Amino acid sequence: MRRLSLVHRVGLVAGGVAALVGILFVAALFAILSLRHAESRESHSSDVTVATLRVRTLSADLESSLRGYVLSANPRFLALFRDARARVPGDVSHLRSLVHDDPPQRVRAASVAGELHAYLLDYAENVITIAQFSRAAARGPAAGSEGKRRIDEINGTLDGLLAAENQRTHRASAHAQSVTNVAVAVGIGAIVVSSALVLLFGAWVARAVARPVRRVAAAAADVAAGDLTVRLEGGGAAEVAALVTAFNSMTGSLELGRHQLLEQNEQLREGERHKRDLISMVSHELRTPLAAVLGFTALLLERDFPPDEQRRYLEIIDTQARRLAALAGDFLDVQLLAGGDLTLVLTSFDLVELVREQAQLFFLEPSSHHLVLDVPGEPLVIEGDRDRLSQVVGNLLSNAIKYSPQGEEVRVSVRSVGDDAIVAVADDGIGIDREDAAHVFEQFFRAADAAATVGGTGLGLAVARDIVTSHDGTLEVESTPGVGSTFVLSLPLGARRAVVGAEQNAPSRQ
Amino acid sequence: MTVEQADDRPRVLVVDDEAPLRELIVVTLGDGFLCEEVSDGETALARLRESPPDLVFLDVMLPGLGGIDVLKEIRADPALSDIGVVVVSAWQAQADIAVALESGADSFLPKPFLVEELLSIAEELAGRRR
């Protein structure tokens, strides 16, 4: 789910507040309209009331002027009656037009019109005619009660009309009141909800912004104090989440950087240890042959020996001096290999011949160990650096002699398997346990048993493995502690793939 | 090397896995000492118990049982405890020398050594036993 940004959230809340304020305005507008409606209704009702009262006055005028004329026979009363009668159509039709929209009132107004009409035609005109002929008959009780009955009927209908109009006005104003009440309630509610929303939003902003900022500040203080493992938990608005992500990636890369520095430091320290080991090993390894060289030289200089003994001691000096030279060569090789400066001088040569040569060199008669050599009759031609590969085979032979008891067999075989030439050197020596076998090709590694008993630099096999690898070959060991070890050297037969590259670099070579 | 029963020269056992070093010690000691050579710790102990010499030149780094272990065996055995032991080693840091002396060596000879130094140590220890 995508996190909403603070800007979006503020927008949403503002929209909510605006909607509530809108509801407030609509409610207020509705209340105002309702009040206006009630007001116009009220003024219409008062118009109706006025018109009704006018008709009532009219009916009273008609009745009193008629009665006056009958009692006094004064023509002034007759003129008043005629005058009132002339107003009847206008006033009645005014009232009828006012209540035209209101069916029950319209019915009442119509019946008022009908009753007035009946009063005038069926009663008043007859009474006037009778009075002109017989004043006494017109003044009789029957005529008087009939007139009163008709007028009362008209007034009753008019009262009904008035009462209905009053009731209507009252209902309209009550409705306007209740609408106003609802509008006020809605308005107050909207204000309360808006205020609550604004307050809540403020609190939320404080929570969503201030709290993560405080957390980041605290974490930054931890980082400043050196704790680079600090990580913040995600959450909150998009901006806060982005800040948290940036912070975490910052501490992550700081930690990684520190880890790399520590690792480099450790590597440097490891290198330093190696160098110390090398110096210590060099001084130790040089001392034994040096002791022989210096000792025999001093003896030869100080004492007289028979010629054959002199010769023997000189031979020892020669051998030990060569050993010193070989050691110096090993150390140089290690330096070259470590610096990647080893250059191979490539030639095609017979591997069988090389192995035979080295075997003769290491198993000079009389030899401490018995050599069993198993090589094919035909040559196995490979391309490589002959001197370097001689060094490798020589190293394997000298190890076999060094790490197996005197008089034991050392079995050396050469054969071709597929596209590879295989040289195997097997001894019946102290062997190497599984754990150590994994490390024998590492610089300065010496199996615990070997280190305690047999002199060595811990460099020979490391150098040998590097040389073989640079020939695209492999050097492996199989060993059983107490039974013996077999080192297997495998080199590609014929022209090497690397030579193709060399030809491209050196076009003069065909 | 033949052992002559009637010989009264100090008898020396040279223990070193490096043949040229054994030969150097033997030739340096010369005719004044009756020398025997062995190349490992087990054989050395067997020879010592069979026929205790006056003096042992003991290399530290030996196949099998190491030189310091041989020295401890010598000092632990009442029949051998008074044999003079010279520890000869190419390891010659202070710590290596201290280990040799604490384990009961009479002397420590670093490789390479001076011919005269070896001779004088041998004569002193042999003379002390006489």
Side-chain angles (χ1 to χ4, degrees):
Chain A
M1 195 186 83
R2 212 173 69 83
R3 294 197 170 283
L4 287 174
S5 77
L6 271 180
V7 173
H8 286 131
R9 291 177 188 215
V10 170
L12 274 180
V13 173
V17 171
L20 282 170
V21 170
I23 289 169
L24 180 76
F25 272 100
V26 167
L29 197 66
F30 192 66
I32 288 166
L33 284 176
S34 177
L35 280 172
R36 274 185 62 181
H37 176 72
E39 208 171 274
S40 78
R41 175 73 233 174
E42 219 163 336
S43 83
H44 179 74
S45 287
S46 69
D47 287 350
V48 171
T49 305
V50 168
T52 307
L53 290 174
R54 273 180 71 169
V55 173
R56 196 177 175 148
T57 309
L58 188 63
S59 72
D61 287 348
L62 286 171
E63 169 67 3
S64 59
S65 60
L66 182 62
R67 196 159 293 278
Y69 177 67
V70 168
L71 290 177
S72 66
N74 189 340
R76 256 190 65 221
F77 286 109
L78 189 60
L80 279 174
F81 177 80
R82 296 278 177 230
D83 186 38
R85 192 192 161 164
R87 295 203 319 264
V88 168
D91 286 357
V92 169
S93 73
H94 177 62
L95 176 64
R96 288 186 72 172
S97 74
L98 280 177
V99 298
H100 181 74
D101 294 342
D102 191 346
Q105 296 290 72
R106 195 169 66 199
V107 170
R108 288 191 187 97
S111 73
V112 166
E115 282 157 10
L116 265 175
H117 190 72
Y119 170 79
L120 290 172
L121 294 184
D122 297 347
Y123 173 71
E125 291 300 331
N126 289 341
V127 169
I128 289 167
T129 308
I130 291 168
Q132 282 169 349
F133 292 98
S134 165
R135 201 164 300 270
R139 234 183 271 151
S145 67
E146 175 63 16
K148 188 173 164 29
R149 187 193 63 80
R150 284 179 180 260
I151 287 301
D152 284 349
E153 190 180 31
I154 290 166
N155 284 345
T157 308
L158 285 171
D159 285 346
L161 208 152
L162 272 178
E165 202 58 40
N166 277 339
Q167 198 182 4
R168 185 166 299 271
T169 305
H170 183 72
R171 222 187 297 138
S173 81
H175 176 70
Q177 189 60 48
S178 83
V179 166
T180 307
N181 287 345
V182 168
V184 167
V186 167
I188 288 171
I191 285 168
V192 166
V193 170
S194 303
S195 307
L197 208 60
V198 167
L199 282 174
L200 278 176
F201 180 64
W204 178 82
V205 166
R207 213 183 76 94
V209 175
R211 222 168 61 163
V213 166
R214 269 206 305 277
R215 272 198 304 148
V216 171
D222 286 349
V223 170
D227 180 8
L228 299 181
T229 59
V230 177
R231 294 291 183 280
L232 292 171
E233 275 173 39
E239 288 91 342
V240 171
L243 176 63
V244 165
T245 306
F247 184 89
N248 284 344
S249 83
M250 178 194 75
T251 53
S253 65
L254 276 177
E255 196 184 9
L256 186 69
R258 183 168 72 171
H259 183 69
Q260 282 169 348
L261 270 181
L262 287 176
E263 222 163 54
Q264 279 173 8
N265 206 1
E266 185 51 41
Q267 278 171 3
L268 282 176
R269 229 177 280 167
E270 185 76 14
E272 204 52 42
R273 247 197 311 276
H274 261 201
K275 208 175 270 180
R276 266 208 310 279
D277 287 351
L278 176 66
I279 291 165
S280 161
M281 192 64 74
V282 165
S283 65
H284 175 262
E285 282 309 302
L286 293 179
R287 276 186 183 117
T288 300
L290 207 54
V293 169
L294 291 173
F296 280 110
T297 309
L299 286 175
L300 284 168
L301 288 173
E302 288 168 13
R303 297 184 197 175
D304 289 325
F305 292 104
D308 60 328
E309 276 185 41
Q310 280 183 16
R311 182 167 180 77
R312 174 166 174 71
Y313 302 153
L314 282 171
E315 276 171 5
I316 291 174
I317 291 169
D318 181 62
T319 311
Q320 296 303 316
R322 282 174 195 281
R323 192 172 152 194
L324 285 172
L327 281 171
D330 266 4
F331 298 137
L332 189 64
D333 287 344
V334 168
Q335 290 302 106
L336 285 177
L337 288 165
D341 295 332
L342 185 74
T343 326
L344 298 179
V345 181
L346 298 178
T347 53
S348 286
F349 60 88
D350 177 13
L351 185 63
V352 177
E353 193 193 319
L354 180 147
V355 171
R356 213 190 286 276
E357 227 174 71
Q358 288 295 315
Q360 277 167 8
L361 213 63
F362 280 87
F363 292 88
L364 282 170
E365 291 300 330
S367 172
S368 57
H369 291 69
H370 181 53
L371 170 70
V372 180
L373 190 60
D374 172 21
V375 295
E378 71 276 13
L380 289 178
V381 178
I382 64 164
E383 190 152 23
D385 189 318
R386 197 177 197 283
D387 289 345
R388 289 294 179 188
L389 291 175
S390 297
Q391 184 185 345
V392 172
V393 173
N395 180 268
L396 298 182
L397 294 178
S398 86
N399 280 348
I401 292 168
K402 219 154 73 173
Y403 296 104
S404 65
Q406 292 194 2
E408 294 288 342
E409 272 185 4
V410 174
R411 293 173 298 281
V412 180
S413 69
V414 184
R415 62 189 197 283
S416 69
V417 175
D419 294 334
D420 294 320
I422 309 287
V423 180
V425 178
D427 65 50
D428 300 326
I430 58 175
I432 308 161
D433 66 37
R434 189 182 292 275
E435 210 170 287
D436 289 343
H439 299 289
V440 290
F441 297 108
E442 291 170 12
Q443 281 184 20
F444 299 119
F445 177 81
R446 308 240 19 240
D449 294 347
T453 58
V454 185
T457 56
L459 295 175
L461 284 174
V463 170
R465 164 69 71 96
D466 284 347
I467 291 170
V468 172
T469 305
S470 66
H471 280 83
D472 296 334
T474 58
L475 180 57
E476 279 154 8
V477 64
E478 294 160 18
S479 187
T480 312
V483 175
S485 308
T486 304
F487 282 83
V488 181
L489 163 65
S490 170
L491 291 164
L493 277 167
R496 290 174 58 235
R497 261 166 299 150
V499 176
V500 178
E503 277 173 354
Q504 284 169 350
N505 292 335
S508 61
R509 247 186 84 156
Q510 291 299 307
Chain B
M1 194 82 40
T2 44
V3 179
E4 294 166 32
Q5 296 298 323
D7 207 324
D8 65 344
R9 289 179 293 173
R11 290 177 55 239
V12 177
L13 184 65
V14 180
V15 190
D16 199 316
D17 60 324
E18 291 272 348
L21 262 292
R22 292 199 301 269
E23 192 167 350
L24 175 65
I25 292 169
V26 171
V27 173
T28 304
L29 291 174
D31 296 335
F33 294 83
L34 185 61
C35 297
E36 192 180 349
E37 301 174 29
V38 290
S39 62
D40 66 89
E42 281 89 355
T43 316
L45 268 183
R47 268 317 281 158
L48 282 164
R49 288 185 173 133
E50 202 177 291
S51 162
D54 297 303
L55 197 54
V56 180
F57 281 90
L58 191 57
D59 184 24
V60 169
M61 207 176 253
L62 290 171
L65 198 63
I68 298 297
D69 295 324
V70 173
L71 173 59
K72 285 175 180 165
E73 290 278 332
I74 291 172
R75 292 306 179 219
D77 188 338
L80 306 176
S81 58
D82 61 341
I83 293 175
V85 179
V86 182
V87 169
V88 188
S89 180
W91 294 111
Q92 44 200 262
Q94 289 295 326
D96 300 313
I97 297 171
V99 166
L101 295 180
E102 279 163 19
S103 303
D106 292 294
S107 186
F108 183 92
L109 193 62
K111 290 182 193 177
F113 46 81
L114 293 174
V115 168
E116 304 80 48
E117 203 182 348
L118 175 89
L119 209 50
S120 72
I121 288 172
E123 277 163 358
E124 191 202 325
L125 286 178
R128 200 195 291 169
R129 267 181 67 84
R130 288 289 146 118

